[in-house]
Amino acid sequence: MKKETNYERGNILFLERHFHDEVRYMILCMTHLKPTGQLENLYLVAFLVYIRNFYEFFYIFGKKDRACAQHYIKNWNEIVKRPEGLRSIYEQISRYSLHLSYKRDDKDGYKQYNIPYLYEHFREVIITFLEKLPDKTDILTKLLEDLKKAKLQFV
């Protein structure tokens, strides 16, 4: 029996609601990016949470309750390959975001993160995802248009 994707089951509403919001919030955080490539702590923490979520959405497959790009585009893992080194950044972000843990990795704050690189990488991956998505809704089409315009100017 052929396994249907979330897209085929009509779960496009998930993308319109949750995925859309995550992308918008990521863009909003970047409006506070300083010319030094750094963010204030509030925006940094939020930005890193969105980056962590996008990493899981685009590069981690097979978890039962976790939405992933592969649910919407069957050959996603053949379209976009995870860059070397991104997994260690993901793991570092995961440790940093453990706010009430003794294992929290915050000795260098956000100096250890290349914020412009992370933003541009995931902006491009999200654009690719939205372009490959069959039968986009008006909301997702508008998101794609806005994301294409949201390129960092000073990087």
Side-chain angles (χ1 to χ4, degrees), residues 3-15 57 64 66-68 70-73:
K3 183 179 176 184
E4 63 182 358
T5 65
N6 280 342
Y7 195 89
E8 290 166 336
R9 288 195 306 259
N11 225 353
I12 196 71
L13 291 177
F14 174 86
L15 294 179
F57 183 81
K64 291 182 181 178
R66 181 170 290 154
C68 66
Q70 192 86 10
H71 292 162
Y72 296 90
I73 300 172

Side-chain angles (χ1 to χ4, degrees), residues 36-87:
T36 59
Q38 298 176 350
L39 289 166
E40 295 296 330
N41 196 49
L42 172 68
Y43 296 107
L44 170 71
V45 172
F47 174 77
L48 292 177
V49 167
Y50 303 131
I51 293 302
R52 185 174 184 270
N53 291 344
F54 288 132
Y55 180 91
E56 292 175 356
F57 183 81
F58 291 117
Y59 299 118
I60 296 178
F61 311 116
K63 298 210 174 182
K64 291 182 181 178
D65 191 40
R66 181 170 290 154
C68 66
Q70 192 86 10
H71 292 162
Y72 296 90
I73 300 172
K74 290 180 184 179
N75 62 339
W76 177 254
N77 60 339
E78 297 168 13
I79 296 170
V80 173
K81 302 291 185 194
R82 181 183 67 208
E84 196 168 316
L86 194 58
R87 181 182 175 145

